Amino acid sequence: MAPRPGLRGRLGDALFRGVAGPGGLDSRRRVHGTPGPRWFAADRPIRVVHGDASMFPGGLSALLLQSLHPLAMTAVADHSDYRNDPWGRLARTSTFLAYTTYGAADDAQRAVDRVRAVHQRIRGRTAEGEPYHAADPHLLAWVHSAEAYCFLTAHQRYGKRPLDPAGCDAYVADMARVATALGIENPPGTLAELHERLDSYRPELRITPQTREAVRYILLRPPIPAPVLPPYLVLGAAAVSLLPDWSRERLRLPVLPRAERWCVAPAGEAVTALIRWLMPPPPVPRA
């Protein structure tokens, strides 16, 4: 992908590099240019959701929700360099989503295998002495369910083409395909099952010092240039508005329905539309 001319092109290319990392262009060419069968056909809902700019508030929302599980948050705090290398972590996540959603089946499986190998090495104990292992299917299912919920909720609120009820169920089923490959047992396959699965984790969730630090980092102290901070803060507010009310109470984030309806929602829609306008369109994927 050659650099695009004009201010829109320069800003969009810079945004893409920030999300995809220095190797993003090479990964993009391989994802969309490698021939062969894919895990998901071109008309599948997972391609619609993951290709939309609503993934920006959806991704932030997923990080906030995931931080409520003390084992998952301790694993991230102990083994991830997200404070010193947040862009690297973002690039790795976006690359994984690209390969599993759009890439050739062999490349998608290799992406999953790499993640599973990393998970096998991550283990330890919380401050209270509770053991954790990143490859634990129960813990993986929490991370997966939080992502699926937040990605879909963001798409339904801010996406260009919201899904109908059948499409929402199909998106959850598509995500279950990736979850199974990652070693998650019996992942939710419909939207109703996804809500039930999230609710089943509520007794395990609590705010910890690592949670508070992550929330402050995500919402108040992101490592971004000053000119980009205002739209980022709008995305952060939009991300908070996507969370289930019970999770916002535990995270001690305000629930302000009127402000969200009249201020946060329109501003979030505007910033998401701006990102959608700036981002370079992907190449036409191979079948």
Side-chain angles (χ1 to χ4, degrees):
M1 182 181 73
R4 294 182 298 159
L7 179 62
R8 176 187 180 185
R10 291 194 299 273
L11 292 175
D13 291 347
L15 180 60
F16 175 79
R17 288 193 300 271
V19 172
L25 291 180
D26 290 338
S27 292
R28 180 181 244 223
R29 282 190 287 266
R30 182 175 181 91
V31 165
H32 296 283
T34 301
R38 265 66 180 159
W39 282 1
F40 304 105
D43 61 346
R44 292 303 300 174
I46 193 171
R47 288 197 174 199
V48 176
V49 173
H50 292 179
D52 191 84
S54 59
M55 288 289 284
F56 281 75
L60 292 176
S61 185
L63 292 175
L64 294 170
L65 185 56
Q66 289 166 352
S67 74
L68 270 174
H69 199 293
L71 300 185
M73 192 62 243
T74 302
V76 169
D78 288 352
H79 298 273
S80 169
D81 197 24
Y82 77 90
R83 302 175 197 83
N84 297 320
D85 185 27
W87 300 112
R89 187 167 189 264
L90 176 60
R92 289 188 291 274
T93 300
S94 65
T95 299
F96 174 81
L97 289 172
Y99 274 117
T100 53
T101 304
Y102 304 101
D106 289 346
D107 285 341
Q109 186 60 53
R110 276 189 285 269
V112 165
D113 292 342
R114 285 193 294 269
V115 169
R116 295 192 70 165
V118 171
H119 286 166
Q120 285 294 335
R121 298 193 298 266
I122 296 176
R123 61 177 73 232
R125 291 182 178 272
T126 67
E128 294 77 22
E130 187 174 2
Y132 65 80
H133 185 199
D136 176 8
H138 180 74
L139 196 57
L140 285 171
W142 161 251
V143 174
H144 165 80
S145 298
E147 285 184 351
Y149 173 87
C150 292
F151 293 169
L152 180 57
T153 302
H155 186 80
Q156 295 303 96
R157 190 168 303 179
Y158 296 115
K160 186 176 182 180
R161 291 187 292 153
L163 304 174
D164 61 17
C168 290
D169 282 342
Y171 171 75
V172 178
D174 286 348
M175 286 288 279
R177 165 70 175 89
V178 181
T180 300
L182 284 169
I184 297 170
E185 301 168 356
N186 190 30
T190 66
L191 184 57
E193 291 177 1
L194 178 60
H195 288 164
E196 291 174 2
R197 187 66 57 88
L198 280 177
D199 284 342
S200 73
Y201 281 90
R202 290 174 64 174
E204 304 174 31
L205 307 180
R206 66 178 185 272
I207 192 168
T208 66
Q210 293 99 328
T211 303
R212 286 191 289 269
E213 181 180 356
V215 170
R216 285 194 297 267
Y217 183 86
I218 293 168
L219 295 180
L220 301 177
R221 297 200 301 267
I224 58 177
V228 186
L229 186 58
Y232 178 90
L233 293 177
V234 170
L235 287 179
V240 170
S241 73
L242 300 171
L243 293 168
D245 286 349
W246 56 263
S247 68
R248 293 168 65 177
E249 293 171 1
R250 296 198 187 189
L251 289 168
R252 300 172 189 170
L253 297 171
V255 179
L256 305 171
R258 290 185 179 179
E260 290 173 8
R261 182 180 303 114
W262 298 110
C263 298
V264 174
E269 185 173 350
V271 172
T272 304
L274 175 63
I275 294 172
R276 187 179 296 118
W277 181 73
L278 287 174
M279 287 290 280
V284 176
R286 300 268 185 118

